[in-house]
Amino acid sequence: MCVCVCKCVCVCVSLCVLVCVCKCVCVCPVGSVRDSCIEAGLVTALLPNLHSEDEGLLLHTGRAIGRICFENAAQQDKLVQEGVIPRLVTIMKTYPENDPLVNVCLLALCNLADMDSAREALTEVGVADVLTAQLRRAPDAERRHLILEVLGSLGESDALKLQFVEAGVPEVLSEMIGVLQGGNDPHDLCSIKIASNLIVSLLLGDESMQKCFGEGTGSVYKDVLSWLQSSNTQLQLAGALAIANFARNDSNCVKMLELGVVPHILDLLEKHVDEGDVSVQHAGLSALRNLAIPASNKVRMLEDGVTERIQTLLRSDMPPVQFKLLGTLRMMVDGQERAAAVLGKDAGLLARVMEWCEAKDHAGVRGEANRLLAALIRHSRDPDVIHSVVKAQGMQHLITMATSEHVIMQNEALVALAIASAIDIDSVQGPFVEAELLATLQKMLQDPVGAVEVKFSTMGLICSLANSSVLREQMEQLNLRGSLSQLSSHTNTKLAGQADTVLAVLAESS
């Protein structure tokens, strides 16, 4: 009897002390009471209380430790090292319906969730199941947001991403969104935004993404597909981003095309053509671009009229949309002769591409516009496309592109120019002479730090240009043979051999 009374007295005294500590820390300046508590070793002394079976003692211990260690990285790291993470999770498992106590534990996890040591500790204690259970029974928006914040921070860990997916976190989030959508409550809309963004984040892990996709039969994938048709712009955006994430491997891309995802994306893009949401347009185009990577998908998407429908976005004045549209069109014509020929003869498209080739304020748009222009020639190899590009004054842009600081862009431009000159030298020699192309090529050959592959492509273009008597005369005036002769002794034997070959061609044509 005396022992029981003593225990009760001890617990009551402990509770009174803890309540006082909590109040003092809360109302006093950070630099006074909190530092004094830390220096006195109070945090270490309080930790054993987290093993108590008294819920009141657990509550006030958690509050005291949380307030003392708030925004104190050193103390927070010490807490993790002392094993506080498993205790917090155990407390939530043991007392799942004690809302004040669960709230204290969630706040503690929220403060610790950005620490790598805390995330590592959490991978071993089954935190996903606990958070999922709490999200299902969250009594209000405040609790929902707190749990979502913890999930969001922890979801940055690849190991925890997979655990969350295996524990059904995306399904619970999706169910929550399904219940909340359709209303106008700002708290609910905020929850929808956080939850949908979290699902997109969880899909960044390859294994977790594949589990959610489930060969196109996963409930998360089906819900995401429905978001594309939602009236909620945030869900439209998250849906498009999620589809882009699912489309990170060819098998998924092929499966999604079979399941009919493309019309939904096109419908979504068309909703946002005029004064629409730029982020949604950007995300939708990203999804289409990823889906178009497999060769078999390109053919199917062209048959479905994708290129025609997304051209409505040509009138967009937003650089992010312009950039993504150009990249998507370039992906669509990659290896597709018919598509490249159709687009390459479209006067309206070429006029807009010419504008973007001169975009001074956005290097990305300028670069993608030039790459699309080169792609139309490279993949179509069509005389009519070359005539259209010449008429639109596009050759000058390709010559400028050939001097880009990016090797891949230089090669694409040089190959396009070589194809154009090989197919119809008469159409292109005028623009080439006007732009002093041969002088530019000579500088590229003489550049001591120029990439070997660029010099190869340059010499290939020179061979094509030798078919023009006008350009051959310019070669003689510039002493282009002298520049080629210097490369004949280059340390790269393949490059030296190519120089000898070009010299032989020039000798025969002179």
Side-chain angles (χ1 to χ4, degrees):
M1 181 72 173
C2 292
V3 174
C4 292
V5 171
C6 288
K7 284 185 178 179
C8 291
V9 171
C10 288
V11 170
C12 289
V13 171
S14 297
L15 284 172
C16 290
V17 171
L18 286 169
V19 171
C20 290
V21 169
C22 287
K23 289 182 177 179
C24 288
V25 171
C26 191
V27 301
C28 294
V30 172
S32 57
V33 172
R34 293 186 184 182
D35 288 349
S36 298
C37 289
I38 292 169
E39 290 169 5
L42 184 57
V43 175
T44 303
L46 290 174
L47 284 175
N49 287 343
L50 292 178
H51 293 270
S52 170
E53 295 181 0
D54 185 281
E55 295 177 49
L57 187 59
L58 289 171
L59 174 64
H60 292 294
T61 299
R63 283 176 175 169
I65 292 175
R67 288 172 181 173
I68 294 170
C69 297
F70 181 66
E71 293 185 341
N72 187 312
Q75 283 299 310
Q76 290 175 350
D77 186 60
K78 187 175 181 180
L79 283 176
V80 175
Q81 300 305 321
E82 293 285 346
V84 74
I85 294 293
R87 284 307 307 157
L88 292 173
V89 175
T90 298
I91 290 169
M92 287 194 289
K93 284 181 179 178
T94 308
Y95 308 103
E97 297 185 4
N98 185 329
D99 288 333
L101 183 55
V102 168
N103 212 53
V104 166
C105 293
L106 287 171
L107 285 169
L109 285 179
C110 192
N111 289 332
L112 299 172
D114 290 331
M115 300 173 62
D116 290 337
S117 55
R119 292 175 182 175
E120 186 177 344
L122 283 164
T123 60
E124 302 172 1
V125 293
V127 68
D129 292 327
V130 174
L131 294 176
T132 302
Q134 286 300 323
L135 189 59
R136 288 185 184 279
R137 64 172 301 277
D140 51 42
E142 184 178 353
R143 174 68 62 80
R144 278 202 313 265
H145 292 173
L146 181 55
I147 297 169
L148 291 171
E149 187 174 350
V150 174
L151 286 168
S153 295
L154 297 180
E156 295 175 9
S157 160
D158 287 339
L160 286 169
K161 267 190 181 76
L162 186 55
Q163 283 193 14
F164 286 171
V165 170
E166 290 175 339
V169 170
E171 286 81 2
V172 175
L173 293 171
S174 189
E175 289 171 14
M176 185 190 79
I177 290 170
V179 172
L180 297 178
Q181 67 176 321
N184 295 315
D185 184 272
H187 297 295
D188 291 347
L189 294 175
C190 183
S191 293
I192 288 173
K193 181 176 182 178
I194 298 171
S196 58
N197 285 340
L198 181 51
I199 289 176
V200 172
S201 176
L202 292 176
L203 296 177
L204 291 174
D206 288 339
E207 195 172 350
S208 56
M209 175 272 289
Q210 208 58 46
K211 285 183 177 293
C212 288
F213 184 61
E215 299 299 321
T217 62
S219 62
V220 174
Y221 172 72
K222 291 179 179 179
D223 289 341
V224 160
L225 200 59
S226 72
W227 296 352
L228 297 176
Q229 304 163 65
S230 170
S231 60
N232 183 308
T233 303
Q234 168 58 34
L235 284 181
Q236 293 173 358
L237 172 60
L241 290 172
I243 294 298
N245 280 342
F246 282 127
R248 289 209 310 274
N249 65 53
D250 286 2
S251 62
N252 285 6
C253 290
V254 171
K255 188 65 179 179
M256 283 192 281
L257 212 68
E258 291 175 357
L259 294 172
V261 69
V262 170
H264 296 303
I265 299 173
L266 293 173
D267 290 344
L268 176 62
L269 286 171
E270 288 174 352
K271 289 178 185 176
H272 290 269
V273 170
D274 296 312
E275 299 181 2
D277 189 281
V278 173
S279 297
V280 173
Q281 293 175 1
H282 192 274
L285 288 168
S286 293
L288 282 180
R289 184 189 181 284
N290 287 0
L291 288 165
I293 292 175
S296 60
N297 275 15
K298 287 184 177 66
V299 175
R300 175 79 177 273
M301 291 169 75
L302 290 169
E303 291 172 351
D304 290 344
V306 171
T307 52
E308 291 86 349
R309 290 183 67 179
I310 64 175
Q311 281 191 67
T312 57
L313 292 171
L314 284 170
R315 58 180 182 261
S316 173
D317 293 323
M318 305 305 296
V321 176
Q322 296 167 355
F323 175 78
K324 194 58 70 173
L325 174 62
L326 288 164
T328 303
L329 288 171
R330 182 166 61 83
M331 181 59 66
M332 291 294 300
V333 302
D334 184 25
Q336 302 300 312
E337 181 180 340
R338 183 173 65 84
V342 170
L343 293 181
K345 290 179 280 190
D346 187 320
L349 170 67
L350 286 176
R352 194 65 163 136
V353 170
M354 294 309 115
E355 288 180 40
W356 291 339
C357 281
E358 299 175 356
K360 296 178 180 179
D361 298 329
H362 201 291
V365 170
R366 187 170 63 250
E368 278 294 343
N370 279 288
R371 293 189 74 186
L372 175 59
L373 187 61
L376 294 175
I377 294 175
R378 286 168 44 236
H379 296 295
S380 72
R381 297 177 178 264
D382 186 319
D384 291 335
V385 170
I386 294 167
H387 296 159
S388 297
V389 172
V390 170
K391 185 177 179 180
Q393 300 183 333
M395 287 300 162
Q396 176 60 60
H397 294 302
L398 291 177
I399 294 170
T400 302
M401 178 183 170
T403 63
S404 167
E405 60 184 10
H406 304 292
V407 171
I408 188 171
M409 290 182 64
Q410 286 183 286
N411 272 325
E412 288 174 358
L414 290 167
V415 171
L417 292 169
I419 291 171
S421 56
I423 291 175
D424 192 347
I425 189 65
D426 293 332
S427 293
V428 298
Q429 73 175 4
F432 287 177
V433 170
E434 184 180 347
E436 299 182 345
L437 171 61
L438 283 169
T440 299
L441 297 180
Q442 187 173 39
K443 289 179 183 178
M444 294 168 70
L445 290 176
Q446 294 173 343
D447 184 357
V449 296
V452 169
E453 56 265 45
V454 171
K455 294 183 189 293
F456 260 105
S457 298
T458 301
M459 287 189 279
L461 173 55
I462 290 171
C463 284
S464 295
L465 298 178
N467 293 319
S468 163
S469 58
V470 174
L471 293 171
R472 279 201 310 273
E473 184 178 340
Q474 276 199 349
M475 291 180 194
E476 293 298 326
Q477 293 171 356
L478 292 168
N479 188 24
L480 196 60
R481 293 191 193 189
S483 300
L484 289 165
S485 296
Q486 292 177 2
L487 289 175
S488 292
S489 57
H490 197 279
T491 54
N492 186 303
T493 56
K494 290 185 178 180
L495 185 61
Q498 178 76 350
D500 290 336
T501 300
V502 178
L503 282 168
V505 170
L506 293 180
E508 291 177 4
S509 60
S510 60

